[in-house]
Amino acid sequence: MRKLVAAIAGVLLALSAGLASADDAPAAKPAAPWAVPSDAEIRQILVNRIDVEHRGVGIVVGVIDAHGRRIVAYGRSERSDPRPLDAQTIFEIGSMTKVFTSLLLSDMAAKGEVRLDDPVAKYLPATVTMPQRGGKQITLVDLATHTSGLPRLPGNLRPKDPANPYADYSVDQMYQFLSGYSLPRDIGSQYEYSNLGGGLLGHVLARRAGVDYETLVRQRITSPLRMDDTVVTLPPRLKARLAKGHDAALQPAANWDLPTLVGAGGLRSDAKDILTFLGAELGYVDTPVKSAMKAQLGPRRPAGSPVMTVALGWHILSPPGKDPIVWHNGGTGGYRTFMGFDAKTGVGVVVLTNAATATGGDDIGFHLLSGTPLSKAPAPHTAIEVDSKLLETYVGRYQFTPKVFMTVTRYGNRLFAVISGQAIAEIFPESPTKFFWKVVDAQVTFEVGPDGRASGVVLHQDGRDVPAKRVEDAG
């Protein structure tokens, strides 16, 4: 059940947990040393992804190594926009932001402004009661390594607009949730990817520094590295270069605003700047945060897989027989992104896409870094029209386990579903009772009772069928 739920969690920032498991870890290392494909080979991958498989609108790939950097771009900002993408095309980078947030933590710890084991409560107003358990308090390092016990998303995140789900979530709401939440497990005992934790970390670091999050990132990271195109708020010069985001159906999608949880996924950037950042990680670019970057990879905790650990913000994939890959991905309503590097080979890769498809660019990034196979296109599903009166009979709450629910809501003639603590996403009918997600390869069948209302659901993913009973109507 956890794998099914985790896969659906990829709908959102991070969505993007998207972490490889032992089952889907890269294959054993080839006999010959892996060489990063040529520009022509990379371009063909992008042509196939966009023109043949129709799993993208535009993709920009950047590679940096000891010989320099190169950019391969294909597709468009929008189908109706003839301008080609390039190294300076702006994308929402989603949860890649968490790497920058954790780098701020590492830098502030190095300067003695905070300690990794400081309680988060130390940097919050006295009116906020941080959850505790077993006599322990949640620390800054717990947030950075997703081991705080906090959920993926706060339970009181109820967006007025599911197309921009974080826009109306306030600091007061976050404080209210934290003050009333009970941790389900001991602090530090288990990895659970948390956008709430990442956003909270950015919030408390900005409070400690006495500036807003965007200013803190600019002062400590982007200005020293001359990453002038990495921002939260787009000035006119960058807004003009923003690639239009698209949803999983390759239709235009709204941009996301994250006023409170900005540290979890609020940055925008381009391939040029991300290659500069990766170059600094690999030692090709000098920076005042060099030692903080190194220290960021020091703390390691298990990340739910024998081949995965989590450092401060970064994930480290270490399959048997292969070099470790340090990486993070990102996803918002209209974008999927990836960045990673192999310190042994000195290669860094960024993949920026302007479509929130289930695949995104992770497989391209891992393929370029270590030769893992590219993903296959999922089986096609065709949406049909369904009467809104039928959709209303499916609205409700369905229980998989004592703590895991799926809540189904209707907005006009559209149906949306959200798994406990995860992201809301539209589900599309392919029959009167069977619906599918476009953001992940999963489907759900509604079981209808004698009264014509759904009495339960069956979730289909990875060849498994997981049932849930209806427990109450959605509010």
Side-chain angles (χ1 to χ4, degrees):
M1 181 59 200
R2 170 167 287 275
K3 184 173 182 182
L4 293 171
V5 173
I8 293 176
V11 169
L12 191 59
L13 298 171
L15 28 167
S16 250
L19 304 179
S21 71
D23 295 332
D24 54 18
K29 190 172 183 178
W34 172 250
V36 179
S38 66
D39 288 1
E41 291 170 320
I42 295 174
R43 187 179 189 279
Q44 189 57 54
I45 292 172
L46 307 189
V47 170
N48 289 341
R49 182 62 53 91
I50 293 172
D51 292 346
V52 179
E53 300 173 349
H54 305 293
R55 287 195 282 166
V57 175
I59 305 176
V60 179
V61 171
V63 178
I64 188 168
D65 58 22
H67 304 290
R69 58 173 68 190
R70 48 195 173 107
I71 298 286
V72 181
Y74 187 75
R76 296 183 173 187
S77 169
E78 193 172 359
R79 289 179 177 178
S80 61
D81 188 343
R83 293 176 299 170
L85 307 180
D86 59 27
Q88 294 182 285
T89 301
I90 301 296
F91 295 77
E92 292 182 353
I93 65 171
S95 284
M96 283 166 49
T97 302
K98 293 183 179 70
V99 174
F100 292 81
T101 301
S102 292
L103 180 56
L104 291 175
L105 170 61
S106 184
D107 181 60
M108 293 175 73
K111 291 179 168 63
E113 297 166 304
V114 300
R115 293 172 54 92
L116 294 183
D117 59 359
D118 277 344
V120 176
K122 181 178 179 179
Y123 303 106
L124 289 172
T127 54
V128 180
T129 303
M130 277 294 294
Q132 302 181 27
R133 186 178 170 105
K136 292 186 62 177
Q137 299 187 65
I138 297 173
T139 66
L140 300 178
V141 70
D142 294 325
L143 295 181
T145 56
H146 301 284
T147 55
S148 65
L150 292 175
R152 182 181 181 86
L153 293 174
N156 62 347
L157 177 66
R158 300 183 181 92
K160 294 179 181 178
D161 180 5
N164 192 3
Y166 293 89
D168 58 346
Y169 191 70
S170 69
V171 171
D172 285 343
Q173 285 176 297
M174 179 175 68
Y175 287 170
Q176 181 184 37
F177 176 78
L178 292 171
S179 295
Y181 187 69
S182 297
L183 296 174
R185 67 183 70 88
D186 290 343
I187 297 167
S189 65
Q190 184 176 317
Y191 173 94
E192 180 180 0
Y193 190 87
S194 177
N195 287 313
L196 171 60
L200 178 59
L201 179 60
H203 176 75
V204 297
L205 293 178
R207 282 180 56 86
R208 172 64 181 88
V211 296
D212 63 84
Y213 177 84
E214 183 170 19
T215 299
L216 186 59
V217 171
R218 183 174 63 250
Q219 291 175 344
R220 302 294 182 102
I221 303 173
T222 59
S223 285
L225 281 168
R226 298 182 180 177
M227 295 170 59
D228 299 328
D229 296 346
T230 302
V231 298
V232 174
T233 306
L234 293 170
R237 69 176 182 87
L238 296 183
K239 196 167 186 178
R241 293 173 9 215
L242 176 67
K244 178 64 180 177
H246 297 78
D247 62 21
L250 306 186
Q251 297 301 310
N255 291 105
W256 277 11
D257 304 296
L258 294 89
T260 297
L261 301 180
V262 59
L267 286 175
R268 283 98 171 183
S269 190
D270 58 22
K272 172 184 65 66
D273 271 13
I274 299 301
L275 284 185
T276 296
F277 187 75
L278 293 174
E281 292 280 359
L282 291 165
Y284 301 136
V285 179
D286 195 19
T287 169
V289 292
K290 180 179 180 180
S291 60
M293 284 180 161
K294 182 178 180 180
Q296 192 178 0
L297 294 173
R300 304 278 180 100
R301 294 184 179 180
S305 164
V307 297
M308 190 80 70
T309 55
V310 59
L312 301 183
W314 286 109
H315 293 89
I316 299 95
L317 179 65
S318 305
K322 298 184 76 70
D323 297 336
I325 301 297
V326 181
W327 69 284
H328 210 294
N329 59 4
T332 58
Y335 306 82
R336 290 289 183 269
T337 59
F338 171 94
M339 66 175 176
F341 64 91
D342 181 338
K344 186 174 180 179
T345 62
V347 177
V349 169
V350 58
V351 182
L352 304 176
T353 80
N354 63 333
T357 60
T359 307
D362 292 17
D363 66 317
I364 297 175
F366 284 118
H367 177 72
L368 298 182
L369 284 168
S370 60
T372 57
L374 294 167
S375 69
K376 296 180 180 179
H381 295 271
T382 302
I384 64 172
E385 292 291 330
V386 174
D387 190 281
S388 60
K389 292 181 181 179
L390 178 62
L391 297 182
E392 186 63 29
T393 66
Y394 299 150
V395 172
R397 201 161 183 247
Y398 304 84
Q399 185 173 22
F400 291 103
T401 73
K403 294 184 178 180
V404 179
F405 297 82
M406 183 175 77
T407 302
V408 177
T409 54
R410 180 174 69 88
Y411 292 80
N413 204 36
R414 303 166 67 190
L415 210 61
F416 290 78
V418 58
I419 302 292
S420 298
Q422 299 174 8
I424 188 169
E426 187 171 2
I427 53 176
F428 300 83
E430 57 183 334
S431 80
T433 58
K434 190 170 183 179
F435 289 65
F436 64 96
W437 280 266
K438 292 183 178 180
V439 292
V440 66
D441 189 12
Q443 302 81 44
V444 63
T445 299
F446 289 92
E447 299 177 326
V448 180
D451 61 355
R453 298 169 68 250
S455 59
V457 298
V458 179
L459 179 64
H460 313 285
Q461 189 180 41
D462 294 340
R464 297 174 63 189
D465 301 316
V466 184
K469 290 297 182 182
R470 186 183 195 137
V471 290
E472 62 183 79
D473 289 338

